[in-house]
Amino acid sequence: MSAVGGFRLSRITSFRKLASGGCRRCTKPIIEPMMRWHEDLDGNFVEQFQSTAFDQRIWELYLFATLIELGFSLNTKHAVPDFIGTSLFGSVAIEAVTVGPTRRGAEIVPPPPVETEEQMEAYLRDYMPIKFGSPLFSKLRKKYWEKEQIAGVPLVFAIADFSSPGSMIYTRSALERYLYGYSFDLACEEQGRAVAKPTKIIEHRWGDKVVPAGFFDIPDAEHVSAVISTTAGTISKFNRMGILAGFDAGDVLMTRTGTVIDPNPEATNPLLFKAIVNAKGYHESWVEGLNVYHNPRAIIPLEEHLIPGAAHHHCDAKGNWTTTAPRFHPLASSTERGRRKWRSRPMRSTSRWRKSRTGWRRLR
């Protein structure tokens, strides 16, 4: 099977798993009602969702769910951009962007290896910034800000990385590097405190590809108010939210592990967390983990209160970085599913059961 054939097959298989229940039975019941309210303005959402663009359409559904959760009413009269929402705090226009695998003709080119520290550093320093840059620049050339329906409204590009399986978990720093054109290296002050020192980046180079660093510095980028992104816009998010909504047969044990922002202002590394999604008291929202990167050159700035519950990042022309984030803000996480080893009641059978102090016992 060719690489492109395998890629398409994996997307179709993902949809079939969702449609047939199986391991996705927590997800299907929460997506079905969304589809009744999500307007297919492009006219190809369902076809692509069922075939080669499963991840991309899941990303759009995630954005839809997040906007509704934040109290936005959506304008369904226009297909461009993808979302035009209005809440009590104002309006926003959002265009969904995705990073796909590299192709050479009909074949998919595998990403470079990231087995060593040097390989990972090069991957995040140059390869992924170029990957992010291509779709963002393509969207910029479409000049959405000239559309009459979003005149005076902040325009936001919402980007998700699907360039390779699981890549979005560790490519956040590459996106930040490309957007602002700065890298940040740890250095020690005289007091011995570690601080991040900004270094201006001129370009990203990989093979014969050379891309200028700093998306927000590109001509016309001043019309883009912000870029938003998250590692959570995947099917795993829908699995977790499905369980929280009560779509759990009781035999699934779901564990979430990841990293979260350390609220200590002097911290240089994130904290680790692990949680059982099925546990009493577990809470998660759609907006949780969303990052908003504000454009310092924006003609129409995006006000932070338009997207509450997200982390808001600012970086000025000198590389001074500030972040306003909720106390619990996941940076990346993975979800594992398992089977419970116990049940609150016995399975139905032809045998008779009685509850005792030590559990359920079958009567002979």
Side-chain angles (χ1 to χ4, degrees):
M1 180 182 295
S2 66
V4 67
F7 178 78
R8 290 175 176 171
L9 181 59
S10 67
R11 275 21 180 202
I12 296 172
T13 300
S14 296
F15 171 76
R16 286 176 177 172
K17 287 182 179 180
L18 174 61
S20 62
C23 66
R24 308 294 188 188
R25 62 171 171 255
C26 302
T27 309
K28 183 181 176 184
I30 202 170
I31 288 182
E32 283 181 335
M34 280 187 192
M35 295 302 296
R36 299 190 185 102
W37 296 101
H38 178 66
E39 295 286 342
D40 184 9
L41 299 178
D42 292 330
N44 59 7
F45 185 97
V46 174
E47 183 271 330
Q48 293 186 0
F49 186 67
Q50 297 177 1
S51 56
T52 59
F54 179 82
D55 291 331
Q56 290 85 342
R57 299 306 164 233
I58 282 290
W59 175 234
E60 290 185 21
L61 281 180
Y62 164 81
L63 294 172
F64 171 78
T66 301
L67 288 170
I68 296 301
E69 178 185 74
L70 294 178
F72 283 91
S73 60
L74 301 180
N75 182 335
T76 58
K77 295 180 180 180
H78 305 280
V80 177
D82 291 316
F83 301 98
I84 304 174
T86 301
S87 73
L88 294 175
F89 303 106
S91 299
V92 65
I94 297 179
E95 176 66 15
V97 190
T98 56
V99 181
T102 300
R103 286 184 170 85
R104 184 180 295 117
E107 295 295 321
I108 290 180
V109 180
V114 291
E115 298 173 357
T116 67
E117 184 176 343
E118 291 76 15
Q119 290 174 339
M120 176 62 79
E121 182 180 349
Y123 175 81
L124 296 176
R125 184 185 62 240
D126 291 307
Y127 179 80
M128 280 309 303
I130 291 175
K131 291 290 293 180
F132 281 116
S134 179
L136 284 172
F137 184 72
S138 296
K139 291 291 185 179
L140 190 66
R141 294 176 63 184
K142 294 185 178 182
K143 299 186 177 183
Y144 294 99
W145 56 87
E146 295 181 351
K147 302 294 182 182
E148 181 180 354
Q149 60 267 26
I150 63 170
V153 175
L155 172 63
V156 175
F157 287 167
I159 190 165
D161 174 23
F162 297 108
S163 59
S164 60
S167 59
M168 72 286 295
I169 294 178
Y170 45 82
T171 56
R172 174 180 51 87
S173 63
L175 174 62
E176 296 172 351
R177 183 188 299 259
Y178 172 68
L179 291 178
Y180 293 110
Y182 276 96
S183 64
F184 295 87
D185 301 312
L186 290 180
C188 289
E189 293 183 332
E190 293 182 358
Q191 298 83 359
R193 186 182 64 173
V195 295
K197 293 292 185 180
T199 302
K200 185 64 177 177
I201 304 172
I202 304 302
E203 64 184 20
H204 300 285
R205 184 182 296 270
W206 189 270
D208 58 352
K209 292 186 177 180
V210 180
V211 173
F215 173 76
F216 289 139
D217 295 328
I218 296 176
D220 283 340
E222 64 271 14
H223 297 287
V224 180
S225 303
V227 171
I228 64 176
S229 185
T230 179
T231 61
T234 64
I235 197 68
S236 293
K237 178 78 168 185
F238 288 83
N239 268 317
R240 298 194 301 270
M241 299 303 284
I243 284 183
L244 291 179
F247 301 118
D248 179 10
D251 61 343
V252 174
L253 181 65
M254 186 171 290
T255 305
R256 185 186 183 196
T257 306
T259 57
V260 62
I261 285 183
D262 190 335
N264 183 353
E266 297 184 3
T268 58
N269 292 303
L271 298 174
L272 301 177
F273 77 91
K274 186 173 185 178
I276 298 176
V277 179
N278 313 71
K280 184 178 181 180
Y282 178 87
H283 174 77
E284 184 176 352
S285 61
W286 287 103
V287 75
E288 181 186 279
L290 184 68
N291 292 293
V292 182
Y293 301 101
H294 293 260
N295 185 352
R297 298 176 54 246
I299 295 176
I300 305 176
L302 176 72
E303 300 296 334
E304 289 190 8
H305 63 258
L306 271 176
I307 310 181
H312 293 268
H313 309 282
H314 299 264
C315 184
D316 62 21
K318 295 183 179 180
N320 298 310
W321 185 287
T322 58
T323 293
T324 304
R327 185 167 182 83
F328 183 80
H329 179 74
L331 298 174
S333 67
S334 60
T335 305
E336 295 182 0
R337 299 168 56 96
R339 293 285 184 179
R340 289 184 185 269
K341 296 182 179 180
W342 53 270
R343 290 178 178 270
S344 58
R345 59 183 179 181
M347 296 178 63
R348 291 183 178 180
S349 69
T350 57
S351 302
R352 297 177 61 192
W353 297 76
R354 173 178 294 172
K355 189 175 183 180
S356 67
R357 292 182 180 178
T358 58
W360 290 90
R361 299 179 63 184
R362 186 171 61 184
L363 300 178
R364 294 181 179 177

